[in-house]
Amino acid sequence: MSYSDKVLDHYENPRNVGALEAGDASVGTGMVGAPACGDVMKLQIKVNADGIIEEARFKTYGCGSAIASSSLVTEWVKGKTLDQALEIKNTAIAEELALPPVKIHCSILAEDAIKAAVADYRNKHEVVDAGYAACNPTAA
Ligand code: FES
């Protein structure tokens, strides 16, 4: 099997590799694994006061297609709202990278990682907001 030029480009020059401060309230972290191959992907998003994703980082322990998929989605989520980020489908990732059928699960991993990062961010904020309202009855 040969990789497409776009996969090789992201694999050789991955965008946004690294980590954001997981304890930061503006950061959502998603960590997902693919049961089929054991590969693991960590995706983080940083959301600004307007609800826009302004930064994203990833670390992927996996195949070239998984690395390319996560690199691509860190570019795609930037500038989007959380709801817009959730609209990114694995089929669009697979199409952009010209992934063969055997590599579709690598793009599913990237879609799942976005969902997990958004869920983590929202989870943090529901807890923080509920706590704030409980301590500040007038703010509720
Ligand atoms: Fe499993 Fe690519 S082979 S993520």
Side-chain angles (χ1 to χ4, degrees), residues 34 37 39 63 65-66 103 105-106 109:
C37 60
D39 291 349
C63 71
S65 298
K103 289 287 172 183
H105 80 270
C106 319
L109 202 55

Side-chain angles (χ1 to χ4, degrees), residues 30-33 41 43 88 90 93 105 107-118:
M31 178 102 93
V32 292
M41 184 180 290
L43 186 85
I88 296 174
N90 87 284
I93 300 165
H105 80 270
S107 63
I108 293 172
L109 202 55
E111 182 185 324
D112 288 349
I114 297 172
K115 288 190 179 128
V118 169

Side-chain angles (χ1 to χ4, degrees), residues 21-100:
E21 177 51 60
D24 184 335
S26 64
V27 171
T29 301
M31 178 102 93
V32 292
C37 60
D39 291 349
V40 178
M41 184 180 290
K42 181 168 126 180
L43 186 85
Q44 292 181 298
I45 53 172
K46 188 174 174 69
V47 183
N48 69 18
D50 296 327
I52 304 293
I53 298 170
E54 58 177 21
E55 270 188 76
R57 294 276 188 284
F58 81 93
K59 277 187 183 171
T60 294
Y61 176 80
C63 71
S65 298
I67 290 168
S69 296
S70 38
S71 171
L72 179 67
V73 299
T74 56
E75 290 198 314
W76 280 1
V77 295
K78 267 196 233 176
K80 287 188 160 59
T81 64
L82 297 176
D83 284 337
Q84 288 168 340
L86 290 176
E87 283 167 17
I88 296 174
K89 294 280 172 281
N90 87 284
T91 44
I93 300 165
E95 191 176 326
E96 173 71 14
L97 297 173
L99 298 182

